[in-house]
Amino acid sequence: LRFGAFVHFNDNTCLVREFSKNTDPAVFNPVNLDFDSMMTTFQEAGVKYAVLTTRHTSGFSLWDSKVTQFDVAESPFKKDVVRLFVDACRKHNIKPCLYYCLWGSKDWNPVNWNPTIKTELETTTPKQIILSQLAELAENYGDIYAFWLDMQCWADTTLSPQESYDLLKSKNPKTF
């Protein structure tokens, strides 16, 4: 495809930080979010694929995830940002791709600073949350051209890259 765009956008954006230990979904309120205009610009530039950061270092999810309360459904901006992005990509004939930041090891685990995630992890594991969220992303948005999983070094040590790959391919066979 030769030319793509990376849309590194999430709660960190609202805090003006690349890495964040945000604990408050209320900081996410992008009132002027307009993926349609963005995709028009991308299309004019010749972009063939675009990647959205669906979850970054804080663990905040840009869709209403069924396995966490730390997501857009708890923010002032209650729209499914992943859906808005994917729909805008398709409208402009740009292949949608999704980035997902893994976490769960001692080096970067939101359980150490986020009380919502700490409570949720009393009944589950980072591995289970990651796999459940990847399944949601692979099942709920149609064909996704590619998934970009980042920070395997931060992932729950019981989660293998092969498990993530197998899950994504089973739910979204055309992806890579």
Side-chain angles (χ1 to χ4, degrees):
L1 297 176
R2 303 194 83 189
F3 186 45
F6 197 104
V7 182
H8 186 37
F9 172 77
N10 58 15
D11 62 328
N12 297 1
T13 307
C14 299
L15 295 167
V16 193
R17 294 186 193 139
E18 181 180 357
F19 297 99
S20 162
K21 292 185 177 181
N22 177 38
T23 61
D24 184 6
V27 304
F28 187 77
N29 193 17
V31 293
N32 295 317
L33 181 61
D34 182 2
F35 284 130
D36 192 54
S37 292
M38 183 185 296
M39 294 306 152
T40 297
T41 301
F42 287 173
Q43 189 177 40
E44 290 169 358
V47 166
K48 302 295 181 198
Y49 68 94
V51 182
L52 174 68
T53 303
T54 63
R55 185 182 91 160
H56 202 243
T57 57
S58 72
F60 183 79
S61 301
L62 292 183
W63 74 100
D64 183 8
S65 175
K66 303 307 177 218
V67 295
T68 187
Q69 296 296 304
F70 193 54
D71 63 19
V72 293
E74 300 300 318
S75 77
F77 191 85
K78 299 194 180 309
K79 297 176 185 172
D80 183 336
V81 176
V82 177
R83 170 62 57 208
L84 296 172
F85 174 82
V86 168
D87 289 350
C89 282
R90 290 192 178 119
K91 177 179 175 183
H92 294 276
N93 200 30
I94 294 171
K95 294 185 182 307
C97 305
L98 303 178
Y99 167 104
Y100 182 90
C101 184
L102 303 164
W103 53 254
S105 74
K106 62 181 171 61
D107 294 331
W108 194 274
N109 189 341
V111 73
N112 296 329
W113 70 81
N114 188 314
T116 300
I117 293 174
K118 183 174 184 169
T119 300
E120 291 168 353
L121 286 172
E122 290 173 3
T123 58
T124 190
T125 66
K127 177 181 177 175
Q128 290 170 317
I129 289 175
I130 290 167
L131 291 175
S132 295
Q133 288 189 324
L134 290 177
E136 290 174 350
L137 291 169
E139 291 174 333
N140 296 339
Y141 300 99
D143 289 337
I144 299 300
Y145 184 72
F147 285 88
W148 180 336
L149 304 185
D150 197 12
M151 302 311 292
Q152 180 66 39
C153 61
W154 286 351
D156 184 303
T157 57
T158 63
L159 176 64
S160 75
Q162 190 66 48
E163 283 178 280
S164 300
Y165 176 84
D166 290 346
L167 172 83
L168 292 171
K169 288 299 271 187
S170 74
K171 306 285 184 189
N172 208 307
K174 295 179 182 177
T175 196
F176 69 93

